[in-house]
Amino acid sequence: MGCNYLSARLLYVNVFLLGCMKTVGDNGMDSIYYQFSSPNVTSNSFPQVMAPATINWKKFTRTSQFTVIPGVVPISVSQSIKDMVSKLSLDQDPDSVDGAPTFEFWLEQGGSLTESLAKVHGKPDTDPEVLKSRLPTREALQKLLTPIVNKQITPLVHKLYDSQCQGECTACYSLVRRYREGERRTHAAHFDIQALVTVVFSLGSAGTDFEGGLYVTTGEDKKYIRLQEGDAVMHQSDLLHGVEVLSGERWSWIIWYKDSSTCSNDRPAYWNQEEVSAKDPIALFLHAYRVHMTPGISKETAQQEKFQLLLASAELGFPRAMNDVGTLYNTGAGVELNETTARFWFQRAANEGHADAFYNEGLFELENPDRAVELFQIAAKLGSREPFYNLGVAFWRGAGVTQNMSEAVYWFKQDGTADALYAIAQIYKMPSSDTWPHEESEAKLWLAKAAESGHADACVEQAMILLNGGNPTEALPWIKKAAEGGNVEAQKYLLAVARQNSQRTKSEL
């Protein structure tokens, strides 16, 4: 039986098996496998063609799977998502993976367009006015996307992961992300700890709208999945993946599923238990970051169990766990603080080529800037985001390297955190020199970006600019944001305003 290619497109994933195409028939899942180098095939009716793939973990006998589903989102729907979301100001709170501004928009959480979203710490939706202003967009997107989720994606999740879903798998989180120059272009490699199943929909085409994009990895080489607009990737939490947009602009729509009709927060604590009992290093690692979700467990017990799980994973040869064991020893979390043992584990992870471990080793060498910067540069070259900020500081201050403002700005931009954006603003504020120009307009631009990302001092400076310009009403939200970020002066200012308003009200009475 031959392959009927409606449109073949190269999938940039050199993995163990790409010759796996499954056709879903009316009577269930027909498993028909072919060996082919370009598995990404479009179809006019969903979901006739899928392309499962398997990657091998080289350091131990372990595989992780993902499935490409071509053309699941119509181009018109993809364009509508981008059109609607691009009219809004995207969230810029720190990402839980790497601390960079998220540049995302949550469509819903736990089936709610309001209540649940209003409780997400750090999100603009905690402001009732912002939540209200975004509701029409969320309602329009819900109407547009619910048929795709309910009729196509959720049934497929149940088919592929039937033994784990047990008929309960529910789309619990839905969000849209944007990657582009001047915002964020990377998302560090990570596991989706909170999701039983993840579905990522590409709202643009690799090679046309952007280069790079979603990649899979085992902690070594990145293998890009060259998705086209409307394609989706479905995977579970044991797939190590990230994003690196080399050029252009990439949009994606993401859904995270749980095996709970109520999207219960404690469900992840029960996942992969058979693999944990079998001492699978990836399962041990994942459970380490879920054990705190166990109902009734104390914080202290959770920390101790986390350490034991990570230690077991590390001793089985997982470099990421080795690095994290080092971190726990270095911070005294769940285990007695021991810098010597921390360095031992960082060195073991570094010997295995784990990028973040080189950064952590570098932190022990700060009194020797030359060596620290050398280790930071190795970490960055291997793909770690962790040293970006410190490399920016090194070039800014001339510590361990020749002072170079252009290099400093480059690394701060790569880092993209609020602190880094604020540092760029400070660099552009510097007096002109033979090697660096003073640029007030650039300083204001990056100050605004830092303030949007929640940098408390930047928020205060942004408020002062508005106050000095006679715009106290526009300044107030920035003062509130600075106060929420811990700026004491902003907190005192708000307290004084509240007292004045209280006294005014009493005098009027």
Side-chain angles (χ1 to χ4, degrees):
M1 188 172 182
C3 294
N4 180 22
Y5 292 102
L6 300 179
S7 174
R9 296 177 300 213
L10 180 62
L11 186 66
Y12 283 1
V13 184
N14 299 320
V15 292
F16 174 65
L17 174 64
L18 278 180
C20 197
M21 180 173 74
K22 296 184 180 180
T23 302
V24 181
D26 293 336
N27 297 322
M29 182 76 74
D30 298 323
S31 298
I32 306 172
Y33 297 87
Y34 298 102
Q35 292 255 324
F36 55 99
S37 59
S38 301
N40 199 355
V41 181
T42 57
S43 174
N44 292 326
S45 59
F46 176 87
Q48 286 191 329
V49 179
M50 295 185 294
T54 301
I55 64 172
N56 267 343
W57 291 82
K58 297 179 182 178
K59 299 187 184 301
F60 31 77
T61 305
R62 180 67 154 82
T63 61
S64 298
Q65 288 78 38
F66 63 90
T67 301
V68 176
I69 312 161
V72 62
V73 176
I75 301 299
S76 60
V77 172
S78 172
Q79 293 296 326
S80 293
I81 296 171
K82 291 183 287 187
D83 288 345
M84 282 190 264
V85 175
S86 63
K87 293 176 182 177
L88 305 171
S89 177
L90 299 189
D91 300 352
Q92 296 185 40
D93 55 306
D95 191 277
S96 59
V97 171
D98 53 25
T102 54
F103 288 100
E104 65 187 19
F105 177 70
W106 283 73
L107 308 185
E108 60 180 274
Q109 178 174 302
S112 170
L113 302 183
T114 53
E115 293 180 11
S116 295
L117 293 171
K119 298 175 183 177
V120 181
H121 179 70
K123 290 290 187 184
D125 292 299
T126 55
D127 183 332
E129 291 301 317
V130 173
L131 186 66
K132 182 179 179 181
S133 69
R134 289 173 158 191
L135 183 58
T137 300
R138 288 191 169 113
E139 289 175 334
L141 286 167
Q142 185 182 59
K143 183 178 180 180
L144 183 70
L145 301 178
T146 295
I148 295 174
V149 175
N150 291 349
K151 296 179 181 179
Q152 300 176 338
I153 300 303
T154 299
L156 185 55
V157 169
H158 283 122
K159 283 178 180 288
L160 293 181
Y161 307 104
D162 177 60
S163 62
Q164 293 152 293
C165 287
Q166 295 292 307
E168 293 287 321
C169 278
T170 303
C172 292
Y173 307 91
S174 178
L175 63 151
V176 172
R177 285 192 178 133
R178 181 175 68 200
Y179 298 83
R180 68 182 182 188
E181 180 68 34
E183 294 183 351
R184 77 177 302 178
R185 294 177 62 182
T186 63
H187 201 171
H190 61 282
F191 296 107
D192 287 342
I193 300 293
Q194 76 292 343
L196 181 68
V197 178
T198 295
V199 188
V200 180
F201 304 84
S202 183
L203 305 181
S205 296
T208 303
D209 300 308
F210 61 88
E211 287 295 344
L214 180 67
Y215 65 81
V216 296
T217 181
T218 58
E220 298 175 352
D221 296 338
K222 298 173 183 175
K223 306 298 181 183
Y224 292 95
I225 306 177
R226 200 170 170 84
L227 298 173
Q228 301 299 287
E229 187 167 8
D231 294 352
V233 173
M234 188 177 292
H235 65 84
Q236 291 199 277
S237 56
D238 65 339
L239 185 72
L240 188 59
H241 63 287
V243 174
E244 183 177 33
V245 175
L246 305 173
S247 63
E249 180 173 299
R250 175 182 181 266
W251 288 76
S252 61
W253 168 34
I254 302 128
I255 299 177
W256 291 321
Y257 279 83
K258 288 184 179 179
D259 55 339
S260 166
S261 59
T262 60
C263 297
S264 172
N265 288 328
D266 63 8
R267 287 305 305 155
Y270 302 99
W271 297 340
N272 308 113
Q273 286 303 301
E274 289 185 10
E275 293 170 288
V276 170
S277 298
K279 303 301 181 185
D280 176 85
I282 304 299
L284 288 165
F285 181 89
L286 293 172
H287 191 53
Y289 286 95
R290 292 170 175 155
V291 69
H292 70 280
M293 303 177 189
T294 305
I297 195 169
S298 69
K299 184 177 180 180
E300 182 180 2
T301 300
Q303 283 280 17
Q304 292 170 350
E305 289 193 21
K306 176 182 179 179
F307 169 75
Q308 293 298 331
L309 288 160
L310 286 175
L311 182 61
S313 179
E315 290 175 339
L316 288 167
F318 189 29
R320 186 170 285 249
M322 295 175 190
N323 179 73
D324 290 5
V325 168
T327 299
L328 294 183
Y329 271 114
N330 198 36
T331 58
V335 65
E336 186 176 349
L337 189 148
N338 189 319
E339 290 188 358
T340 300
T341 307
R343 294 197 74 170
F344 166 80
W345 282 107
F346 288 144
Q347 287 165 1
R348 277 197 62 178
N351 290 340
E352 295 290 339
H354 187 66
D356 288 350
F358 285 96
Y359 167 73
N360 286 321
E361 280 203 87
L363 293 178
F364 282 102
E365 301 287 350
L366 293 179
E367 292 185 3
N368 180 2
D370 291 356
R371 177 58 176 160
V373 170
E374 179 186 5
L375 289 166
F376 292 160
Q377 289 174 326
I378 293 171
K381 186 175 181 179
L382 290 174
S384 174
R385 286 184 48 87
E386 295 295 330
F388 291 173
Y389 183 82
N390 277 355
L391 285 172
V393 172
F395 280 104
W396 184 9
R397 304 303 186 190
V401 290
T402 302
Q403 189 178 48
N404 187 318
M405 297 305 167
S406 295
E407 280 290 312
V409 168
Y410 167 80
W411 285 111
F412 284 137
K413 285 182 178 179
Q414 291 292 104
D415 183 67
T417 61
D419 285 341
L421 301 176
Y422 186 67
I424 296 173
Q426 303 313 302
I427 290 175
Y428 278 114
K429 283 183 182 179
M430 293 172 56
S432 294
S433 66
D434 293 339
T435 58
W436 187 253
H438 170 84
E439 294 190 31
E440 191 64 30
S441 60
E442 285 292 311
K444 289 182 178 179
L445 171 67
W446 290 99
L447 180 68
K449 288 178 180 287
E452 286 284 353
S453 295
H455 192 283
D457 291 345
C459 290
V460 170
E461 291 186 37
Q462 192 78 344
M464 292 305 298
I465 291 171
L466 292 166
L467 286 171
N468 293 335
N471 297 304
T473 302
E474 293 181 26
L476 188 58
W478 294 112
I479 297 173
K480 289 180 178 179
K481 197 168 185 177
E484 291 168 359
N487 185 277
V488 176
E489 294 304 315
Q491 292 170 350
K492 289 179 179 178
Y493 178 88
L494 291 177
L495 182 60
V497 169
R499 285 173 177 168
Q500 288 177 355
N501 289 339
S502 176
Q503 292 171 357
R504 187 180 299 115
T505 301
K506 288 179 181 178
S507 64
E508 290 173 353
L509 291 174

